[in-house]
Amino acid sequence: MISQRARLPLKVATALCLAIVTALWLGWERPYWAAFAVIVMAATETAGHSLRKGRHRLLGTLFGVVMAIVLAGLFPQQPSYCCSVTRRLRHFVCITKPIRTMVMSGASA
């Protein structure tokens, strides 16, 4: 039987090996970044936090895909309008990045 104290290091070691093997199998130029990501995740986050963040990323991606399809469907022959909307959204994202970072990190304004 494995003790509670030994479980976390074994999980991290397994995840680290899987990340490096997967990165090498996919032919990444810098597979060490996969290992770095595992180490950072293990040092700073809990399993629940990782799952919640992954769920938020998935929902954000799906929302972005749906919005891209809607905008392309609404304005198929007006590329200048879509570029204008994209420029405004990019500006909005740049301006609100510090606020979103504070909210995501749990800091109070």
Side-chain angles (χ1 to χ4, degrees):
M1 197 59 143
I2 299 173
S3 69
Q4 282 294 104
R5 187 174 177 161
R7 283 188 185 176
L8 182 62
L10 286 174
K11 286 181 184 179
V12 172
T14 303
L16 190 62
C17 290
L18 285 173
I20 291 174
V21 167
T22 303
L24 289 171
W25 180 65
L26 291 172
W28 290 1
E29 289 182 25
R30 297 179 180 95
Y32 54 85
W33 283 112
F36 183 73
V38 169
I39 291 170
V40 168
M41 293 284 288
T44 60
E45 297 183 354
T46 63
H49 187 253
S50 299
L51 291 173
R52 185 173 45 247
K53 187 186 286 187
R55 188 172 47 245
H56 288 163
R57 286 180 179 161
L58 181 64
L59 290 173
T61 301
L62 290 175
F63 178 75
V65 167
V66 169
M67 287 304 297
I69 291 171
V70 167
L71 285 174
L74 288 175
F75 308 106
Q77 299 298 323
Q78 299 171 345
S80 62
Y81 182 77
C82 285
C83 290
S84 173
V85 170
T86 305
R87 199 173 315 118
R88 287 184 192 136
L89 286 175
R90 193 176 308 131
H91 181 68
F92 175 76
V93 167
C94 289
I95 288 176
T96 60
K97 186 172 183 173
I99 296 167
R100 287 182 289 123
T101 303
M102 287 190 321
V103 169
M104 292 297 275
S105 68
S108 59

